[in-house]
């Protein structure tokens, strides 16, 4: 009783009201982290690239298996239906390199729908991730290359042994990922 830890205004409040105010302040302080985490998880601004690198690893390790598809027309039709026609996958034809479409799937990464097309051949796997986004989806470490002929920015970046090239067409982003050398991957992205 001799040691007072409350300030004089708090002591002046009647005991029940003081308790109610203290309880409300404590609840507000406890709610701040909860709502911060909830906002962060529901925010559309969660960086998407780390989730795409994780998806690439899961697909190449066989943890996630794409739905088999025979050709690019089937890929576009089936995946576009999966997002109710909001956008279509950016499909590539790598057949001249003896790399062919294996399949595709829809994933939700960083609270966004992402269309995934998987190509394999000659010991390589190339995966194309298509989603609604902007140039701001490129990570800060990305090196930007401007293709004057196409009037388009290409962002190149990597993680461990996986290279990635991102480009934007309208409001649709495409990230190509592979373990092939970065100059070759950039050339593939630019050739579309």
């Amino acid at each position: 009783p001799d040691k007072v830890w409350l300030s004089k205004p708090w002591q002046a409040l009647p005991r029940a009201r003081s308790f109610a105010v203290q309880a409300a302040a404590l609840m507000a302080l406890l709610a701040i982290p909860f709502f911060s985490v909830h906002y962060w998880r529901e925010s559309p601004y969660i960086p998407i690239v780390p989730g795409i690198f994780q998806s690439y690893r899961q697909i190449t390790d066989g943890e996630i298996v794409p739905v088999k598809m025979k050709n690019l027309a089937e890929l576009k039709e089936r995946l576009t239906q999966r997002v109710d026609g909001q956008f279509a996958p950016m499909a590539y034809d790598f057949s001249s390199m003896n790399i062919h479409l294996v399949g595709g799937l829809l994933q939700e990464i960083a609270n966004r729908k992402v269309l995934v097309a998987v190509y394999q051949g000659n010991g390589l796997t190339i995966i194309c991730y298509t989603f609604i986004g902007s140039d701001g989806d490129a990570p800060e470490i990305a090196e930007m290359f401007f293709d004057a002929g196409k009037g388009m920015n290409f962002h190149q970046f990597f993680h461990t042994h996986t290279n990635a090239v991102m480009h934007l067409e309208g409001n649709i982003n495409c990230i190509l990922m592979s373990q092939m050398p970065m100059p070759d991957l950039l050339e593939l992205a630019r050739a579309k």
Side-chain angles (χ1 to χ4, degrees):
D2 294 341
K3 296 183 180 177
V4 177
W5 58 276
L6 295 173
S7 65
K8 294 221 185 254
W10 281 86
Q11 290 178 1
L13 291 172
R15 210 173 168 98
R17 194 175 338 154
S18 174
F19 176 73
V21 170
Q22 291 174 15
L26 181 63
M27 293 302 286
L29 288 173
L30 291 174
I32 289 171
F34 171 78
F35 287 115
S36 297
V37 167
H38 178 71
Y39 172 77
W40 180 78
R41 291 188 67 181
E42 296 300 319
S43 170
Y45 303 108
I46 299 171
I48 195 167
V49 170
I52 288 177
F53 273 110
Q54 179 181 355
S55 168
Y56 179 88
R57 183 194 55 76
Q58 290 173 321
I59 291 170
T60 56
D61 288 351
E63 294 173 28
I64 296 175
V65 179
V67 176
K68 292 187 189 265
M69 296 184 193
K70 298 173 188 164
N71 54 48
L72 296 177
E74 181 184 4
L75 174 81
K76 282 186 175 182
E77 181 183 337
R78 289 178 67 182
L79 292 186
T80 302
Q81 288 174 353
R82 299 287 312 268
V83 291
D84 298 322
Q86 294 175 338
F87 61 101
M90 289 193 196
Y92 287 82
D93 182 4
F94 302 126
S95 58
S96 63
M97 301 170 53
N98 202 24
I99 298 174
H100 302 281
L101 176 68
V102 173
L105 66 142
L106 169 68
Q107 289 190 302
E108 187 163 319
I109 301 173
N111 297 327
R112 290 196 250 179
K113 293 180 178 178
V114 180
L115 301 178
V116 183
V118 181
Y119 304 85
Q120 290 180 335
N122 288 338
L124 287 173
T125 298
I126 302 173
I127 302 179
C128 175
Y129 293 89
T130 307
F131 56 96
I132 296 174
S134 69
D135 268 341
D137 287 311
E140 291 182 13
I141 61 163
E143 180 184 339
M144 190 186 79
F145 170 79
F146 178 71
D147 185 328
K150 293 187 178 287
M152 201 180 273
N153 292 331
F154 289 87
H155 304 270
Q156 50 188 10
F157 48 96
F158 67 94
H159 178 66
T160 57
H161 300 292
T162 306
N163 294 315
V165 175
M166 184 186 95
H167 72 281
L168 183 71
E169 293 182 19
N171 68 338
I172 307 298
N173 260 335
C174 172
I175 297 181
L176 272 185
M177 292 190 130
S178 181
Q179 292 186 347
M180 69 188 327
M182 183 66 84
D184 297 343
L185 190 61
L186 177 61
E187 208 47 49
L188 286 179
R190 290 178 61 202
K192 182 173 186 311

